[in-house]
Amino acid sequence: MVVWMTIVFIESPMTRPVHAETAQPKRWAIVIHGGAGGDPSKWSDEKRNARLDGLEAALKIGRDLLAGGGSSLDAVEAVIRSLEDNASFNAGRGAVLTQAGNAELDASIMDGRNRACGAIAGVTTIKNPIATARLVMTDTKHVLLVGRGAEAFAASKNVPLVDPKYFLSRRRRTPQQPDPSEHPHLGTVGCAALDSEGNLAAGTSTGGTPKKLPGRVGDSPIVGAGTFADNASCAVSGTGVGEEYIRNAVAYDIAAQMLYAKRSLETAITEIMTERLQPGIGGLIGVSHDGQIVMQHNTPGMSCAAADSNGRFETHLALDNGGRPAVNAAKPIDAAKPINAARSTDADKEEIRRLIGQQADAWNAGDIDRFMDVYWHDEELTFCSAGSITRGWTATLERYKRRYPDKATMGNLSFSDLEFLRLGDDAFQVLGVWQLTRDATPIGGRFTLVLRRFDDTWRIVHDHTSVRDAP
Ligand code: ASP
C-alpha cells in the first residue's frame, strides 16, 4: 500500500538514492497461441507433446529475439513462421482442408507503432502466409490481398511457394480419407509481443475451420477481428469460430475498451470471453502497452505460451478457469445496506488491523506476493499516488516486483495511527501513517484505504497514498 508512494519518491532525480535504481533491463513480453479447439485432456501423449514442443520452440525464438533487443514485428513473424512449418498446428503446413479437400490459408500482421497492417486470404501455395502478409503491409498500399492476386504478389517478391500437396503431405490424407483427429481441429496460431522499445505487434495465421466452404474467409486475416495492435493499448490475436470474432469486432473491441473505458487488458478480454462470446467459441491472447500478458479461452483448452523480461517462460494446453482471474468471482456484499447493529465493529476493526499488520510483516520479509494478497484481486482495484492511478491487481503486483526486486530495496515498513470509519456492513475507510526505513533517512506519509468485506474476508479495494513533506 503505502510504500507505493516511495516509488515516486525514489524516481525523483533530486531525491533518488544512488543505490536505489541501477539501470533496469528494458521490459519486453510475448504471448503465443496455437488454437483453442479440441479437448487436450482427450489427446494422446504424442499429440500433447507435439503441441507443447512446438509452442516451446516458437516461444524460445520469440524470447531470444526480444531479449536481444529485436523488434516485436520480427518476433511475431518469426514465431508464426515456426508454427506454420510445424504440422501440429492448423496454419501453414498443418492447415485443415476445405470441403474440396485442399488447404486455403489466411494470415495477418499489424504494427502497433502506426497501425500499419497487411493480410492475405484464401491462398493455396504460399508456404509461410505470415511473411507474405508482412510484405503486403510494407510493400503495397493495400491491407488485404486474396487468392490468385495474393499468390502473384508473393511470387513477385520471391517468397517460397509450394505445391498445394505440401499441405497434405504430412498427414498422408486424401479428401476421401480425412484425418480423423481433425474435427474439430482448431489449431490456428497467433502471437502478440511488446519489444524493449515499447512497440507492440500482433499476427495470426490459419487454415481456417475444417471443412469450410471453398472461398470462406475467417477472422484471422481480418484486422480488428482476429488481430489488432496499437501501441496506445494492446496487441491481440484470437482463435476460434472466426465468424463470431468478425461479428463482434473482437480484437478491436479489446483495444477500444482499454482506450475509451480505461479498462485493463485482462478486464477487457474477460468481458469478451464471458459476456460477449458464447461458451465454446474460442480464445484470445494479448499483451498490453505496459507488458501485461493475458491468455483466456472459453473452450476446454487452448495451446498457449508466454515469456517476458522478468523470466516468465511457460507453455500450456489449457488454463485453470480458462485463464480468467479466479477471484473475480467474489462479489462484494452490498455496502449500501443499512448498518446491521448485530455486526461487531470491534471484531471487524480487529480483523482489518490484523490484515494491515500482516502486510507489514510480509513486506519486511521481502514477500511482495503475500503483501499484495490483502488487496482485492481484481482489475478494478485502484491505486492512487502522486496524481496518477494504477488500475488492477496484476498491474500493481507486477509494478511492485519491478520496482522492488529484492529485500534490500524494500527496507522496513511500519504502519501506525490507524483511524477507522465504518461505511456500511461491509465497507470501511481506514486512515493511517506509514514509514519506510531503508537507509539513514526514513520516509513516510499518510494513506487512505477503502476496504470491503467479501464472502469471508476483507480486501483493500482502493488505496490513496501521499508522502509527508520533507521537514
Ligand atoms: N479463427 C479461425 C477461423 O475462423 C479458426 C481458428 O482459430 O481455429 O478461420
Side-chain angles (χ1 to χ4, degrees), residues 44-106:
S44 66
D45 284 350
E46 195 193 349
K47 180 164 176 167
R48 292 170 62 86
N49 291 337
R51 280 283 179 101
L52 288 169
D53 291 350
L55 288 169
E56 187 177 322
L59 188 63
K60 281 186 176 150
I61 291 170
R63 177 198 63 188
D64 292 349
L65 262 162
L66 293 170
S71 76
S72 50
L73 262 186
D74 285 345
V76 166
E77 181 184 341
V79 160
I80 292 183
R81 285 175 81 117
S82 122
L83 295 166
E84 286 174 341
D85 291 339
N86 183 333
S88 300
F89 297 92
N90 171 18
R93 192 169 184 203
V96 299
L97 305 184
T98 68
Q99 284 181 12
N102 65 320
E104 292 184 357
L105 312 172
D106 305 332

Side-chain angles (χ1 to χ4, degrees), residues 90 186-188 206 208-209 216 218-220 239-243:
N90 171 18
L186 305 178
T188 291
T206 189
T209 44
R216 177 265 188 192
D219 60 314
S220 307
T239 177
V241 181
E243 286 73 8

Side-chain angles (χ1 to χ4, degrees), residues 243-265:
E243 286 73 8
E244 286 300 305
Y245 283 70
I246 295 173
R247 285 184 189 108
N248 289 287
V250 162
Y252 177 70
D253 192 280
I254 293 163
Q257 288 192 47
M258 293 179 72
L259 275 180
Y260 305 130
K262 304 290 176 219
R263 290 192 161 158
S264 69
L265 177 67

Side-chain angles (χ1 to χ4, degrees), residues 385-458:
S385 69
S388 71
I389 295 188
T390 301
R391 289 176 197 279
W393 188 86
T394 318
T396 307
L397 171 69
E398 293 199 358
R399 185 146 184 210
Y400 263 126
K401 286 193 166 171
R402 274 203 307 282
R403 301 293 176 173
Y404 294 93
D406 51 38
K407 200 163 173 309
T409 41
M410 291 171 73
N412 199 282
L413 176 69
S414 62
F415 299 127
S416 61
D417 300 4
L418 300 185
E419 290 173 44
F420 293 83
L421 174 65
R422 189 185 261 295
L423 303 175
D425 268 2
D426 305 304
F428 261 96
Q429 171 188 288
V430 179
L431 303 186
V433 168
W434 61 274
Q435 174 150 325
L436 184 75
T437 311
R438 184 172 36 197
D439 45 30
T441 332
I443 55 170
R446 291 209 143 267
F447 61 85
T448 304
L449 307 176
V450 177
L451 291 102
R452 293 190 78 174
R453 188 166 62 86
F454 291 81
D455 290 339
D456 56 354
T457 186
W458 289 88

